[in-house]
Amino acid sequence: MLESGIPRIIGHRGVRKLAPENSLSGVREAARQGARWVELDVTLLGDGTPVIHHDDDLARLCGRPQPLRSLSLADLPRIDIGSHYRDSPPEPLPTLTEMLALLDELEMGLNLEVKDHGEDPRYVIQQIVPIIERFDPERLILSSFSSEQLRQCQLLLPDLRRGLITARLPPDWPLLLENLGIYSVHYRWQALRDKELALLTATGRPVICWTVNNRIAGERLLRKGVTAIITDDPRPFSRFL
Ligand code: G3P
Ligand code: MG
């Protein structure tokens, strides 16, 4: 664990290789594997309920192309996001509230990635903030690819640590990071050059790489000064847990 409180290994969508992604059982499995933090995706149902889910529909995880915007909280008990994964038992799609309660119970930290499925960024962040503001801020980083979502979060919850997710920083990145009050940069690891890592590290910001599933690459990144890696499977990185 570093001074920032961020562990060096963060489970991706829970521990996606070992359990259903973005699920309560997946987070319990991450804890069993020794991961202290997980990365999870949050998106909205049609009634504005924030749920832990990557896509904007149920096609990939449930085999039916139903958009999330057509669903409401009352529909969740009937949505099974467990069975698609090997022989896992059925389990309902979790709300953000349920997931935060589990993370509290397990004393785990969270990198919450807010998905941008085209909704108004202000509306999305307005639905999420009242829920996350009750969670321990020392165990939370909110991240997004969307600078508009990050800007809205900066307005509504300025003290919350915010991470910019990117596969390539724009030329004006120093100004962008400064203006949005960005705490950490979450870089697609294959695109991160040594020079960029050095420049980012020199700003004092943690650099977190996703999604690193290769042991040699992951160890090299951590050696080079990357703060943490987000991985589908923490087992190859057990010595960093
Ligand atoms: O948080 C970084 C990473 O999760 C972004 O990609 O598609 O797995 O959410 P994705
Ligand atoms: Mg994600």
Side-chain angles (χ1 to χ4, degrees), residues 12-13 39 41 54 113 115:
H12 184 231
R13 304 187 202 173
E39 185 265 4
D41 305 296
H54 182 277
E113 177 188 350
K115 283 296 174 197

Side-chain angles (χ1 to χ4, degrees), residues 113-195:
E113 177 188 350
V114 184
K115 283 296 174 197
D116 177 6
H117 293 311
E119 308 96 331
D120 174 28
R122 183 153 181 261
Y123 174 71
V124 173
I125 297 298
Q126 275 174 342
Q127 306 311 305
I128 291 169
V129 160
I131 301 171
I132 59 173
E133 70 184 352
R134 298 195 295 266
F135 195 71
D136 178 359
E138 294 191 1
R139 287 188 285 123
L140 181 62
I141 296 177
L142 179 141
S143 63
S144 178
F145 283 98
S146 158
S147 43
E148 270 315 305
Q149 287 183 347
L150 293 166
R151 196 184 316 279
Q152 293 302 324
C153 185
Q154 183 184 26
L155 291 173
L156 287 183
L157 211 50
D159 292 340
L160 179 65
R161 293 182 291 181
R162 295 174 300 281
L164 176 71
I165 310 175
T166 187
R168 177 180 285 271
L169 284 172
D172 64 342
W173 67 264
L175 196 62
L176 181 74
L177 300 187
E178 198 57 40
N179 287 345
L180 294 175
I182 294 298
Y183 171 77
S184 50
V185 177
H186 301 218
Y187 224 106
R188 181 171 182 265
W189 74 270
Q190 297 93 334
L192 181 64
R193 305 280 163 257
D194 287 353
K195 190 175 157 212

Side-chain angles (χ1 to χ4, degrees), residues 21-59:
E21 67 176 54
N22 284 319
S23 71
L24 298 172
S25 68
V27 169
R28 288 191 186 282
E29 182 58 30
R32 268 193 294 276
Q33 294 295 332
R36 299 306 312 142
W37 278 47
V38 283
E39 185 265 4
L40 300 168
D41 305 296
V42 65
T43 187
L44 301 184
L45 300 181
D47 66 358
T49 305
V51 292
I52 302 299
H53 194 70
H54 182 277
D55 304 342
D56 63 356
D57 67 19
L58 299 175

